[in-house]
Amino acid sequence: MSESKLNLVASTLTNSLGTTIIGHVAAENVVITVKYANDDVDTTTSDEKGSFVVKIPTENTDNEVTLTAMFPDQSAKEVVSLVIDQPAPVVTAVISTQNGQRLLDGRVNQRDVSISVHFIGDEHVISLPIDNGLEFELVLPDDILPSQIEVHATNQKTGKTGRTVVGLGVTSKTVAMPALTDEMIAEYVHNEEVKHQSEAEASKKVATSTEIATPPVSESDKDVSDAVEETDKTAETSSHSEAKDSENNERAATESRVERRKRGGIRGFFARLFGRKG
Protein backbone atom coordinates (compact mmCIF):
# COMPACT_ATOMS: atom_id res chain seq x y z
CA MET A 1 0.00 0.00 0.00
CA SER A 2 1.07 3.60 -0.55
CA GLU A 3 -0.03 7.09 0.40
CA SER A 4 0.48 10.47 -1.35
CA LYS A 5 -1.46 13.60 -2.16
CA LEU A 6 -4.14 11.32 -3.58
CA ASN A 7 -3.93 9.16 -0.48
CA LEU A 8 -4.28 6.02 -2.63
CA VAL A 9 -4.92 2.93 -0.56
CA ALA A 10 -5.65 -0.45 -2.20
CA SER A 11 -5.60 -4.14 -1.42
CA THR A 12 -6.84 -7.42 -2.90
CA LEU A 13 -9.60 -9.64 -1.59
CA THR A 14 -9.55 -13.27 -2.69
CA ASN A 15 -12.16 -15.96 -2.17
CA SER A 16 -13.70 -18.88 -4.03
CA LEU A 17 -15.43 -16.43 -6.40
CA GLY A 18 -12.15 -14.82 -7.53
CA THR A 19 -10.04 -11.76 -6.72
CA THR A 20 -11.27 -8.18 -6.25
CA ILE A 21 -9.28 -4.96 -5.77
CA ILE A 22 -10.76 -2.69 -3.12
CA GLY A 23 -9.36 0.85 -2.81
CA HIS A 24 -9.84 4.45 -1.70
CA VAL A 25 -8.54 7.91 -2.71
CA ALA A 26 -8.94 11.43 -1.31
CA ALA A 27 -11.47 12.70 -3.85
CA GLU A 28 -14.25 11.59 -6.17
CA ASN A 29 -13.95 11.11 -9.95
CA VAL A 30 -10.31 10.07 -9.68
CA VAL A 31 -9.38 7.85 -12.64
CA ILE A 32 -8.24 4.39 -11.54
CA THR A 33 -6.35 2.27 -14.10
CA VAL A 34 -5.47 -1.39 -13.53
CA LYS A 35 -2.83 -2.97 -15.77
CA TYR A 36 -2.37 -6.75 -15.76
CA ALA A 37 0.68 -8.86 -16.55
CA ASN A 38 -0.67 -9.67 -20.03
CA ASP A 39 -1.05 -5.90 -20.75
CA ASP A 40 -4.83 -5.92 -20.47
CA VAL A 41 -6.24 -2.76 -18.88
CA ASP A 42 -9.34 -1.97 -16.80
CA THR A 43 -10.44 1.57 -15.91
CA THR A 44 -12.88 2.92 -13.32
CA THR A 45 -13.43 6.10 -11.26
CA SER A 46 -13.83 6.70 -7.55
CA ASP A 47 -17.33 7.46 -6.20
CA GLU A 48 -18.44 10.46 -4.13
CA LYS A 49 -16.69 8.98 -1.09
CA GLY A 50 -13.47 8.25 -2.98
CA SER A 51 -14.00 4.47 -2.97
CA PHE A 52 -13.56 2.11 -5.92
CA VAL A 53 -13.83 -1.62 -6.62
CA VAL A 54 -12.34 -3.59 -9.53
CA LYS A 55 -13.17 -7.25 -10.19
CA ILE A 56 -10.16 -9.01 -11.68
CA PRO A 57 -11.06 -11.39 -14.54
CA THR A 58 -10.08 -15.02 -13.97
CA GLU A 59 -7.78 -14.96 -17.02
CA ASN A 60 -5.78 -12.05 -15.51
CA THR A 61 -4.98 -13.39 -12.05
CA ASP A 62 -1.25 -13.90 -12.71
CA ASN A 63 1.17 -12.73 -10.01
CA GLU A 64 0.67 -8.96 -9.71
CA VAL A 65 -1.09 -5.92 -11.17
CA THR A 66 -0.15 -2.25 -11.47
CA LEU A 67 -2.64 0.25 -10.07
CA THR A 68 -2.58 3.93 -11.12
CA ALA A 69 -4.65 6.79 -9.65
CA MET A 70 -4.83 10.16 -11.43
CA PHE A 71 -6.92 13.33 -11.30
CA PRO A 72 -8.84 14.01 -14.53
CA ASP A 73 -6.60 17.06 -15.17
CA GLN A 74 -3.50 14.90 -14.48
CA SER A 75 -2.38 17.31 -11.76
CA ALA A 76 -1.52 14.38 -9.52
CA LYS A 77 -0.68 10.74 -10.11
CA GLU A 78 0.27 7.72 -8.07
CA VAL A 79 1.24 4.16 -9.02
CA VAL A 80 1.30 1.08 -6.79
CA SER A 81 1.76 -2.64 -7.40
CA LEU A 82 -0.41 -5.32 -5.85
CA VAL A 83 0.36 -9.01 -5.57
CA ILE A 84 -2.58 -11.20 -6.33
CA ASP A 85 -3.17 -14.13 -4.05
CA GLN A 86 -4.99 -16.35 -6.48
CA PRO A 87 -7.70 -18.50 -4.84
CA ALA A 88 -8.02 -22.23 -5.11
CA PRO A 89 -9.82 -23.41 -8.24
CA VAL A 90 -13.53 -24.10 -8.07
CA VAL A 91 -14.71 -27.22 -9.92
CA THR A 92 -18.25 -28.51 -10.53
CA ALA A 93 -19.33 -31.83 -12.08
CA VAL A 94 -22.56 -33.71 -12.81
CA ILE A 95 -23.52 -37.07 -14.35
CA SER A 96 -25.77 -36.84 -17.38
CA THR A 97 -27.13 -39.30 -19.93
CA GLN A 98 -26.96 -38.31 -23.58
CA ASN A 99 -27.96 -40.60 -26.45
CA GLY A 100 -27.94 -43.55 -24.07
CA GLN A 101 -24.42 -42.80 -22.82
CA ARG A 102 -23.49 -41.76 -19.28
CA LEU A 103 -21.13 -38.80 -19.08
CA LEU A 104 -19.33 -36.88 -16.38
CA ASP A 105 -19.59 -33.20 -17.36
CA GLY A 106 -17.62 -30.58 -15.42
CA ARG A 107 -16.21 -27.06 -15.39
CA VAL A 108 -13.53 -25.04 -13.54
CA ASN A 109 -13.11 -21.29 -13.00
CA GLN A 110 -9.40 -20.96 -13.76
CA ARG A 111 -6.97 -21.71 -16.54
CA ASP A 112 -3.84 -23.82 -16.15
CA VAL A 113 -5.80 -26.32 -14.06
CA SER A 114 -5.49 -30.11 -14.27
CA ILE A 115 -8.45 -32.38 -13.55
CA SER A 116 -8.15 -35.82 -11.98
CA VAL A 117 -11.00 -38.29 -11.52
CA HIS A 118 -10.84 -41.17 -9.06
CA PHE A 119 -13.37 -43.96 -8.54
CA ILE A 120 -13.59 -45.08 -4.91
CA GLY A 121 -12.29 -48.65 -4.61
CA ASP A 122 -10.12 -48.25 -7.71
CA GLU A 123 -6.54 -47.04 -7.44
CA HIS A 124 -6.46 -45.86 -11.03
CA VAL A 125 -6.61 -42.05 -11.47
CA ILE A 126 -7.91 -40.54 -14.70
CA SER A 127 -6.44 -37.20 -15.83
CA LEU A 128 -8.62 -34.97 -18.01
CA PRO A 129 -7.75 -31.85 -20.03
CA ILE A 130 -9.95 -28.76 -20.02
CA ASP A 131 -10.98 -27.05 -23.25
CA ASN A 132 -11.03 -23.34 -24.09
CA GLY A 133 -14.38 -23.01 -22.33
CA LEU A 134 -12.79 -24.39 -19.11
CA GLU A 135 -14.94 -27.53 -19.42
CA PHE A 136 -14.14 -31.26 -19.33
CA GLU A 137 -15.96 -34.54 -20.06
CA LEU A 138 -15.54 -38.25 -19.26
CA VAL A 139 -17.52 -41.33 -20.39
CA LEU A 140 -18.62 -43.32 -17.33
CA PRO A 141 -19.39 -47.02 -16.84
CA ASP A 142 -23.10 -47.78 -16.33
CA ASP A 143 -22.60 -49.18 -12.82
CA ILE A 144 -20.79 -46.13 -11.33
CA LEU A 145 -22.78 -44.08 -8.78
CA PRO A 146 -22.20 -40.36 -8.08
CA SER A 147 -21.06 -41.15 -4.55
CA GLN A 148 -18.22 -43.29 -5.96
CA ILE A 149 -16.65 -40.45 -7.95
CA GLU A 150 -14.05 -37.97 -6.69
CA VAL A 151 -13.08 -34.98 -8.87
CA HIS A 152 -10.03 -32.83 -8.02
CA ALA A 153 -8.78 -29.66 -9.72
CA THR A 154 -5.20 -28.41 -9.24
CA ASN A 155 -3.80 -25.04 -10.38
CA GLN A 156 -0.43 -25.72 -12.00
CA LYS A 157 1.02 -22.32 -10.98
CA THR A 158 -0.13 -21.90 -7.41
CA GLY A 159 -0.46 -25.58 -6.47
CA LYS A 160 -3.85 -24.86 -4.88
CA THR A 161 -6.50 -27.53 -5.26
CA GLY A 162 -10.25 -27.85 -5.13
CA ARG A 163 -12.67 -30.77 -5.18
CA THR A 164 -16.38 -31.23 -5.73
CA VAL A 165 -19.29 -33.50 -4.91
CA VAL A 166 -20.70 -35.05 -8.07
CA GLY A 167 -24.45 -34.79 -8.61
CA LEU A 168 -26.95 -35.93 -11.20
CA GLY A 169 -27.59 -33.66 -14.14
CA VAL A 170 -30.25 -33.46 -16.83
CA THR A 171 -30.85 -36.56 -18.89
CA SER A 172 -31.49 -35.98 -22.58
CA LYS A 173 -32.90 -38.50 -25.03
CA THR A 174 -32.45 -38.36 -28.76
CA VAL A 175 -35.33 -39.69 -30.84
CA ALA A 176 -34.27 -41.23 -34.14
CA MET A 177 -36.25 -39.81 -37.06
CA PRO A 178 -36.84 -42.27 -39.93
CA ALA A 179 -35.91 -41.19 -43.44
CA LEU A 180 -38.91 -40.53 -45.69
CA THR A 181 -39.21 -42.99 -48.58
CA ASP A 182 -41.34 -42.88 -51.75
CA GLU A 183 -43.57 -45.60 -50.30
CA MET A 184 -44.20 -43.59 -47.13
CA ILE A 185 -45.05 -40.47 -49.14
CA ALA A 186 -47.38 -42.44 -51.46
CA GLU A 187 -49.15 -43.97 -48.46
CA TYR A 188 -49.64 -40.53 -46.91
CA VAL A 189 -51.09 -39.13 -50.17
CA HIS A 190 -53.43 -42.15 -50.48
CA ASN A 191 -54.68 -41.75 -46.92
CA GLU A 192 -55.38 -38.06 -47.53
CA GLU A 193 -57.35 -38.87 -50.71
CA VAL A 194 -59.44 -41.48 -48.88
CA LYS A 195 -60.10 -38.97 -46.11
CA HIS A 196 -61.29 -36.28 -48.54
CA GLN A 197 -63.45 -38.81 -50.45
CA SER A 198 -65.14 -39.91 -47.20
CA GLU A 199 -65.88 -36.30 -46.30
CA ALA A 200 -67.38 -35.67 -49.76
CA GLU A 201 -69.62 -38.75 -49.50
CA ALA A 202 -70.79 -37.67 -46.06
CA SER A 203 -71.70 -34.21 -47.41
CA LYS A 204 -73.58 -35.84 -50.30
CA LYS A 205 -75.59 -38.00 -47.90
CA VAL A 206 -76.58 -34.94 -45.89
CA ALA A 207 -77.77 -33.16 -49.05
CA THR A 208 -79.82 -36.25 -50.12
CA SER A 209 -81.45 -36.43 -46.69
CA THR A 210 -82.50 -32.80 -47.03
CA GLU A 211 -84.14 -33.47 -50.40
CA ILE A 212 -86.07 -36.46 -49.00
CA ALA A 213 -87.29 -34.38 -46.07
CA THR A 214 -89.06 -31.96 -48.51
CA PRO A 215 -92.49 -33.59 -49.44
CA PRO A 216 -93.12 -33.98 -53.20
CA VAL A 217 -96.12 -32.39 -54.89
CA SER A 218 -98.96 -34.97 -55.36
CA GLU A 219 -100.86 -35.45 -58.63
CA SER A 220 -104.12 -34.18 -57.07
CA ASP A 221 -102.42 -31.02 -55.85
CA LYS A 222 -100.96 -30.53 -59.28
CA ASP A 223 -104.39 -30.95 -60.94
CA VAL A 224 -105.91 -28.40 -58.58
CA SER A 225 -103.11 -25.99 -59.31
CA ASP A 226 -103.55 -26.47 -63.07
CA ALA A 227 -107.34 -25.96 -62.75
CA VAL A 228 -106.88 -22.75 -60.82
CA GLU A 229 -104.39 -21.51 -63.39
CA GLU A 230 -106.78 -22.40 -66.27
CA THR A 231 -109.68 -20.61 -64.57
CA ASP A 232 -107.54 -17.51 -64.14
CA LYS A 233 -106.65 -17.60 -67.83
CA THR A 234 -110.33 -18.06 -68.87
CA ALA A 235 -111.45 -15.20 -66.66
CA GLU A 236 -108.75 -13.00 -68.10
CA THR A 237 -109.75 -13.92 -71.69
CA SER A 238 -113.46 -13.28 -70.98
CA SER A 239 -112.73 -9.92 -69.45
CA HIS A 240 -110.60 -8.97 -72.41
CA SER A 241 -113.40 -10.00 -74.87
CA GLU A 242 -116.01 -8.01 -73.00
CA ALA A 243 -113.81 -4.93 -73.03
CA LYS A 244 -113.21 -5.35 -76.75
CA ASP A 245 -116.97 -5.75 -77.52
CA SER A 246 -117.79 -2.66 -75.52
CA GLU A 247 -115.16 -0.75 -77.41
CA ASN A 248 -116.55 -1.95 -80.77
CA ASN A 249 -120.16 -1.03 -79.79
CA GLU A 250 -119.06 2.45 -78.78
CA ARG A 251 -117.17 2.91 -82.04
CA ALA A 252 -120.23 1.72 -84.01
CA ALA A 253 -122.57 4.14 -82.23
CA THR A 254 -120.18 7.00 -82.91
CA GLU A 255 -119.98 6.10 -86.58
CA SER A 256 -123.83 5.94 -86.82
CA ARG A 257 -124.19 9.44 -85.45
CA VAL A 258 -121.63 10.72 -87.91
CA GLU A 259 -123.36 9.03 -90.85
CA ARG A 260 -126.73 10.45 -89.81
CA ARG A 261 -125.27 13.92 -89.59
CA LYS A 262 -123.74 13.54 -93.02
CA ARG A 263 -126.99 12.31 -94.55
CA GLY A 264 -129.01 15.07 -92.85
CA GLY A 265 -126.62 17.68 -94.13
CA ILE A 266 -126.89 16.43 -97.73
CA ARG A 267 -130.70 16.41 -97.69
CA GLY A 268 -130.79 19.96 -96.30
CA PHE A 269 -128.44 21.14 -99.02
CA PHE A 270 -130.60 19.68 -101.86
CA ALA A 271 -133.75 20.99 -100.23
CA ARG A 272 -132.43 24.55 -100.18
CA LEU A 273 -131.21 24.08 -103.71
CA PHE A 274 -134.64 23.04 -105.08
CA GLY A 275 -136.73 25.34 -102.89
CA ARG A 276 -137.92 22.73 -100.42
CA LYS A 277 -138.12 23.18 -96.70
CA GLY A 278 -136.39 20.73 -94.53
Side-chain angles (χ1 to χ4, degrees), residues 40-76:
D40 287 347
V41 175
D42 282 333
T43 302
T44 187
T45 56
S46 59
D47 60 19
E48 64 276 5
K49 296 181 180 180
S51 300
F52 61 90
V53 176
V54 179
K55 179 70 171 65
I56 299 179
T58 56
E59 64 270 19
N60 291 324
T61 53
D62 293 334
N63 299 322
E64 65 179 26
V65 297
T66 300
L67 189 66
T68 302
M70 182 184 301
F71 282 123
D73 59 2
Q74 300 182 1
S75 59

Side-chain angles (χ1 to χ4, degrees), residues 28-157:
E28 64 176 330
N29 294 327
V30 174
V31 179
I32 308 298
T33 302
V34 181
K35 185 176 181 180
Y36 303 102
N38 62 358
D39 292 331
D40 287 347
V41 175
D42 282 333
T43 302
T44 187
T45 56
S46 59
D47 60 19
E48 64 276 5
K49 296 181 180 180
S51 300
F52 61 90
V53 176
V54 179
K55 179 70 171 65
I56 299 179
T58 56
E59 64 270 19
N60 291 324
T61 53
D62 293 334
N63 299 322
E64 65 179 26
V65 297
T66 300
L67 189 66
T68 302
M70 182 184 301
F71 282 123
D73 59 2
Q74 300 182 1
S75 59
K77 175 181 178 181
E78 182 177 350
V79 179
V80 297
S81 295
L82 298 174
V83 177
I84 298 176
D85 183 17
Q86 192 170 8
V90 176
V91 57
T92 57
V94 295
I95 296 177
S96 63
T97 302
Q98 301 178 21
N99 300 327
Q101 189 176 51
R102 299 183 76 216
L103 299 174
L104 177 68
D105 293 322
R107 192 179 191 282
V108 293
N109 68 336
Q110 298 176 6
R111 299 191 181 279
D112 301 316
V113 172
S114 62
I115 301 296
S116 60
V117 179
H118 173 240
F119 300 144
I120 296 177
D122 187 350
E123 296 181 355
H124 181 64
V125 177
I126 302 172
S127 297
L128 299 176
I130 60 173
D131 59 21
N132 293 331
L134 304 181
E135 297 179 343
F136 58 90
E137 182 180 89
L138 174 66
V139 178
L140 294 176
D142 294 337
D143 56 349
I144 293 294
L145 301 176
S147 58
Q148 297 176 282
I149 304 174
E150 291 183 353
V151 180
H152 296 266
T154 303
N155 189 296
Q156 300 297 315
K157 293 183 177 181

